[in-house]
């Protein structure tokens, strides 16, 4: 649980999830594991990648594992950058505004206003 409280710890957990996909399933079946997953995958899902974590992890392992960890870090950065571009796009902003307006309208209709 301590790893999930700091940005670098959450990044280490993301790397562990990538290396050991069964870990996520194992955590889902435990109460404290669900809290860890919530911190990593929900509360801090939009957190910027920490290249230092992946590089430190890559130095402490075999060449094959290091290559995997570096590829993972590159892919994570690419996906993060893509997400930031999408979130800042006029299309996303317009869709968000439209959804918000529809929600407010439905709420007002429900209240009878």
């Amino acid at each position: 649980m301590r790893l999930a409280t700091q940005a670098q710890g959450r990044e280490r957990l993301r790397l562990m999830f990538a290396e050991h996909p069964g870990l996520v399933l194992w955590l889902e079946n435990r109460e404290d594991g669900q809290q860890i997953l919530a911190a990593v995958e929900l509360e801090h899902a939009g957190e910027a990648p920490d290249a230092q974590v992946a590089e430190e992890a890559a130095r402490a392992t075999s060449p094959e594992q290091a290559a995997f960890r570096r590829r993972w870090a590159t892919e994570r950065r690419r996906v993060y950058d893509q997400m930031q571009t999408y979130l800042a796009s006029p299309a996303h902003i317009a869709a968000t505004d439209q959804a918000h307006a529809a929600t407010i309208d439905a709420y007002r209709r429900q209240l009878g206003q």
Side-chain angles (χ1 to χ4, degrees):
M1 189 66 182
R2 284 182 306 214
L3 282 177
T5 62
Q6 297 176 349
Q8 285 191 334
R10 289 187 294 273
E11 192 71 1
R12 286 188 193 107
L13 286 168
R14 289 182 188 99
L15 177 57
M16 288 173 21
F17 297 163
E19 291 178 325
H20 309 286
L23 181 59
V24 172
L25 294 174
W26 185 79
L27 287 171
E28 285 176 349
N29 293 316
R30 282 150 183 74
E31 188 174 331
D32 56 341
Q34 292 172 6
Q35 293 172 357
I36 291 168
L37 289 172
V40 173
E41 296 180 345
L42 297 175
E43 295 170 30
H44 301 280
E47 200 166 54
D50 188 336
Q52 180 181 356
V53 169
E55 193 52 41
E56 286 174 5
R59 278 189 251 127
T61 190
S62 69
E64 295 82 16
Q65 192 72 9
F68 171 84
R69 290 175 176 178
R70 287 187 179 106
R71 279 193 312 275
W72 173 84
T74 301
E75 178 66 9
R76 176 145 157 64
R77 171 50 72 181
R78 186 188 65 74
V79 168
Y80 175 80
D81 290 344
Q82 239 178 2
M83 178 67 77
Q84 294 306 306
T85 300
Y86 169 71
L87 292 174
S89 72
H92 172 72
I93 293 168
T96 301
D97 290 347
Q98 184 180 11
H100 181 261
T103 302
I104 294 299
D105 288 345
Y107 177 72
R108 287 184 178 146
R109 280 193 307 276
Q110 185 180 10
L111 291 177
Q113 293 179 342

XYZ file of all heavy atoms in Angstrom, residues 1 4 27 30-40 43:
113
model
N 0.821 -1.193 0.000
C 0.000 0.000 0.000
C 0.866 1.258 0.000
O 0.468 2.263 -0.553
C -0.934 -0.054 1.224
C -1.978 1.001 1.238
S -3.137 0.791 -0.108
C -4.153 2.179 0.140
N 1.626 2.835 -3.376
C 0.525 3.532 -4.036
C 0.338 4.962 -3.533
O -0.435 5.719 -4.108
C -0.770 2.757 -3.846
N -4.658 -8.933 -7.042
C -4.997 -7.778 -6.211
C -6.509 -7.531 -6.172
O -7.044 -7.093 -5.157
C -4.285 -6.523 -6.718
C -2.789 -6.452 -6.443
C -2.176 -5.277 -7.186
C -2.503 -6.349 -4.962
N -8.448 -9.060 -3.248
C -8.084 -8.692 -1.884
C -8.507 -7.268 -1.615
O -8.390 -6.406 -2.479
C -6.574 -8.832 -1.687
C -6.203 -10.290 -1.507
C -4.817 -10.618 -2.004
N -4.538 -12.025 -1.881
C -5.039 -12.968 -2.664
N -5.869 -12.666 -3.619
N -4.711 -14.233 -2.496
N -9.003 -7.021 -0.407
C -9.510 -5.693 -0.083
C -8.428 -4.630 -0.200
O -8.632 -3.590 -0.831
C -10.091 -5.682 1.326
C -10.802 -4.393 1.667
C -11.482 -4.453 3.002
O -11.893 -5.535 3.426
O -11.595 -3.391 3.630
N -7.263 -4.872 0.391
C -6.184 -3.880 0.282
C -5.671 -3.794 -1.147
O -5.235 -2.746 -1.601
C -5.052 -4.146 1.270
C -4.455 -5.545 1.142
O -5.118 -6.429 0.566
O -3.331 -5.750 1.628
N -5.756 -4.894 -1.894
C -5.368 -4.882 -3.300
C -6.286 -3.998 -4.125
O -5.841 -3.285 -5.024
N -7.565 -4.009 -3.810
C -8.517 -3.152 -4.515
C -8.212 -1.680 -4.246
O -8.344 -0.843 -5.136
C -9.940 -3.499 -4.090
C -10.370 -4.865 -4.576
C -11.702 -5.305 -3.993
O -12.372 -4.554 -3.295
N -12.091 -6.533 -4.285
N -7.781 -1.362 -3.046
C -7.401 0.016 -2.725
C -6.167 0.432 -3.525
O -6.088 1.557 -4.010
C -7.144 0.167 -1.234
C -8.386 0.005 -0.394
C -8.083 -0.036 1.095
O -6.938 -0.002 1.515
N -9.128 -0.106 1.889
N -5.224 -0.473 -3.658
C -4.016 -0.189 -4.441
C -4.381 0.046 -5.903
O -3.943 1.016 -6.520
C -2.995 -1.338 -4.304
C -2.434 -1.372 -2.879
C -1.874 -1.205 -5.335
C -1.649 -2.615 -2.551
N -5.200 -0.850 -6.448
C -5.621 -0.693 -7.846
C -6.383 0.613 -8.050
O -6.186 1.292 -9.057
C -6.476 -1.879 -8.280
C -5.740 -3.203 -8.452
C -6.728 -4.327 -8.700
C -4.724 -3.119 -9.565
N -7.236 0.963 -7.113
C -7.991 2.212 -7.232
C -7.052 3.413 -7.249
O -7.225 4.338 -8.041
C -8.996 2.340 -6.085
N -6.034 3.384 -6.400
C -5.081 4.503 -6.361
C -4.313 4.616 -7.667
O -4.111 5.714 -8.187
C -4.110 4.321 -5.194
N -3.900 3.489 -8.218
C -3.070 3.502 -9.420
C -3.899 3.717 -10.681
O -3.555 4.538 -11.529
C -2.263 2.188 -9.537
C -1.525 2.104 -10.856
C -1.287 2.056 -8.382
N -7.602 6.932 -9.329
C -7.293 8.236 -8.748
C -6.141 8.942 -9.459
O -6.143 10.157 -9.585
C -6.947 8.082 -7.271
C -8.098 7.596 -6.417
C -7.657 7.238 -5.017
O -6.687 7.852 -4.510
O -8.282 6.345 -4.423
